[in-house]
Structure formats: C-alpha cells, structure tokens
Amino acid sequence: QVQLVESGGGLVQAGGSLRLSCAASGSIFNTMGWYRQAPGKQRELVATITSSGKTNYADSVKGRFTVSRDNAKNTVDLQMNSLKPEDTAVYYCNLVTAFTWYEYWGQGTQVTVSS
C-alpha cells in the first residue's frame, strides 16, 4: 500500500539545475532513490538513500547530484546541478521496503537538458 507522488522535471539548459521531489506513504524504514532511463537505454541507478542517511551515487553523477530525504515526511529529493545533455532521461522515484524488500516505482518524470 505504498504510493509514490513525484514532482519536478522539465526542460533545462546545459549547466543549469533542476530539483526532483518524491513523496511516499508507509514506513520510514526503507531505501528511496532515483533511477533514469534514456531512449533506447536500460534503466540505471542515479542515487539512493537509506532511512539512516547512507547514500549511493552512480559514477556519472557524483559531484553534480545530491540526494536527500526527510524521514518524517517520507520524501526524497534529487538536486541536479551542472546538468549535461546526457542526463536527458525519464527519471523514476523508487522505494524498497525494509525486511520484505518490496519495490515500488513512481510514474516517471521527463528531464530534458538542451545544449
């Protein structure tokens, strides 16, 4: 009974910034994060964060993207700076529950970075 509600996404110029947000229902004992899928490509991990604040980033976004969460609200944000055209993709919010390891996905939001 977990639902994910995303906001953000859109068109931004290269070098610009964008912030994605996702709110989830249910227990705070989970890992939340973001994945992305570019046209013709496999879905890939962007960043995740556990309920204790431990983060994990794809090498391609390290130093540019920051993932954060608010356990009281069960929300996760992705601050994207120094955006590149290769960051263009559909970005999906993800939640994995503790212990049972159930996985949930948001509907996806388009991020387009123009040169």
Side-chain angles (χ1 to χ4, degrees), residues 11-109:
L11 177 65
V12 65
Q13 295 184 57
S17 298
L18 196 64
R19 189 177 186 91
L20 305 180
S21 297
C22 176
S25 63
S27 174
I28 65 170
F29 298 106
N30 57 53
T31 297
M32 298 183 70
W34 296 91
Y35 291 69
R36 68 186 182 188
Q37 187 167 18
K41 303 295 183 181
Q42 299 292 108
R43 187 174 298 186
E44 64 176 355
L45 180 147
V46 177
T48 61
I49 183 167
T50 68
S51 57
S52 64
K54 185 177 181 180
T55 58
N56 183 43
Y57 295 93
D59 288 342
S60 59
V61 306
K62 286 180 179 178
R64 299 189 298 120
F65 291 9
T66 302
V67 64
S68 60
R69 67 181 292 160
D70 183 334
N71 287 345
K73 299 178 179 179
N74 236 13
T75 58
V76 60
D77 289 356
L78 183 68
Q79 179 65 46
M80 304 184 291
N81 298 326
S82 301
L83 282 161
K84 305 174 181 179
E86 50 262 46
D87 294 318
T88 296
V90 177
Y91 284 69
Y92 297 91
C93 181
N94 171 267
L95 182 150
V96 179
T97 60
F99 307 112
T100 56
W101 293 90
Y102 289 169
E103 190 168 43
Y104 299 87
W105 295 92
Q107 77 284 356
T109 183

